[in-house]
Amino acid sequence: MENEKKVKVEMTAEQAEAFAAFQAKQKKEAEAAQRKADRETYAKMVDEEVAAAIPELRRLSDNIKVVKSKVYQNFAQVLDIKSNVLGITKDTQRTHTFTHSDGNMRLTLGYNCIDGYRDTVEDGIAMVKQYIESLATDEKTKSLVSAIMRLLSRDGMGNLKASRVLQLRKMAEESNDDKFMEGVKIIEEAYQPTMTRQFIRAEYKDKKGQWHIIPLSVTDADTDGQEEEEAEVKK
């Protein structure tokens, strides 16, 4: 305060050193106390925000489940009719895409799939490799061997990629080699994919004719506050 009286205190060097040490200790303790208070404030803020966010996200998750289930139920009859009209078996097709007649909306229903094979796949791979070993060693066949070996490479789970097996089949057909073709056929027959979760992909077309995927997960949804241009759809 402005009116406080200032008192001049005389100290010995030893007393001044002790007083400075006392002040440093007080400052250190005050800073430590402040850091502790800041940590407590931070922890309290975390608790409050987590407690507020979790119920909202659970409600969002429940709503997504309800809508997803409703969409699949509504399309069950559509899939039955599609099967009858087109003469295909529903279980052999993993994804189904439906586009509105005005061309502005599109919906895809399907299953995520993980490639997998029965043990007999090893027999097919052995036959294909046997074909590779029978090839000549000129530059042309060396590049073919390299291409085939790339197609036989496995993913992180130790499985062949189904898309690569399709490419392998094309090469086998072009080779006209019975052993090669039989080996690829054994690989294809050993294919045993695992269906995982059902998915829905919804898209709409804007006024400029560009397709936009409607984000249906927290990861995909934007948080920048910008609204996408809405498509004009027929009511």
Side-chain angles (χ1 to χ4, degrees):
M1 296 177 65
E2 293 182 1
N3 295 329
E4 280 186 348
K5 289 181 65 177
K6 293 184 179 180
V7 178
K8 186 176 181 180
V9 178
E10 292 184 0
M11 298 183 184
T12 64
E14 185 179 346
Q15 289 173 328
E17 185 179 346
F19 182 67
F22 171 74
Q23 285 183 312
K25 181 181 178 182
Q26 279 194 319
K27 182 181 179 182
K28 186 176 180 180
E29 291 175 349
E31 290 173 348
Q34 184 61 54
R35 287 195 299 271
K36 181 180 179 182
D38 291 343
R39 289 195 298 271
E40 291 174 349
T41 300
Y42 166 75
K44 184 179 179 181
M45 289 177 63
V46 170
D47 289 346
E48 290 174 351
E49 296 305 326
V50 169
I54 292 299
E56 290 189 30
L57 293 172
R58 289 186 65 179
R59 283 192 292 271
L60 173 62
S61 178
D62 290 340
N63 288 338
I64 290 175
K65 290 178 185 176
V66 170
V67 174
K68 181 179 179 181
S69 177
K70 183 178 180 181
V71 169
Y72 267 93
Q73 288 174 8
N74 291 345
F75 270 87
Q77 186 177 5
V78 175
L79 291 172
D80 287 336
I81 295 174
K82 176 182 177 181
S83 177
N84 293 331
V85 171
L86 301 181
I88 60 174
T89 304
K90 289 187 298 180
D91 296 337
T92 60
Q93 189 172 349
R94 294 178 200 152
T95 62
H96 300 268
T97 299
F98 306 94
T99 304
H100 194 278
S101 56
D102 66 10
N104 287 335
M105 293 177 287
R106 188 162 62 199
L107 192 68
T108 301
L109 308 179
Y111 287 87
N112 290 316
C113 179
I114 299 175
D115 291 335
Y117 293 84
R118 292 188 291 273
D119 294 340
T120 50
V121 70
E122 301 300 335
D123 299 324
I125 292 174
M127 292 184 71
V128 171
K129 287 184 176 180
Q130 186 177 20
Y131 164 74
I132 295 174
E133 292 172 357
S134 70
L135 296 176
T137 57
D138 56 50
E139 290 303 317
K140 183 177 180 180
T141 52
K142 280 183 179 179
S143 63
L144 178 60
V145 169
S146 178
I148 294 174
M149 291 306 295
R150 282 197 300 271
L151 295 177
L152 287 174
S153 63
R154 301 172 187 259
D155 61 17
M157 299 181 68
N159 290 318
L160 302 176
K161 285 286 186 181
S163 58
R164 292 178 181 172
V165 175
L166 288 176
Q167 297 176 51
L168 196 62
R169 174 153 54 96
K170 291 180 181 178
M171 295 178 69
E173 291 171 349
E174 292 172 358
S175 74
N176 289 321
D177 184 274
D178 292 339
K179 282 286 186 182
F180 189 12
M181 293 174 67
E182 185 179 356
V184 173
K185 185 176 181 181
I186 291 173
I187 293 173
E188 290 180 323
E189 290 173 350
Y191 186 53
Q192 195 173 45
T194 301
M195 302 296 182
T196 55
R197 295 180 179 272
Q198 290 177 315
F199 71 85
I200 295 176
R201 182 168 62 248
E203 302 167 89
Y204 69 90
K205 190 181 291 185
D206 62 22
K207 296 176 182 178
K208 298 178 182 178
Q210 297 293 319
W211 283 102
H212 298 273
I213 296 177
I214 299 173
L216 299 177
S217 74
V218 174
T219 302
D220 296 330
D222 292 330
T223 57
D224 57 9
Q226 295 180 352
E227 295 183 359
E228 294 180 340
E229 182 181 9
E230 294 185 358
E232 291 184 349
V233 295
K234 296 179 181 178
K235 300 295 184 180

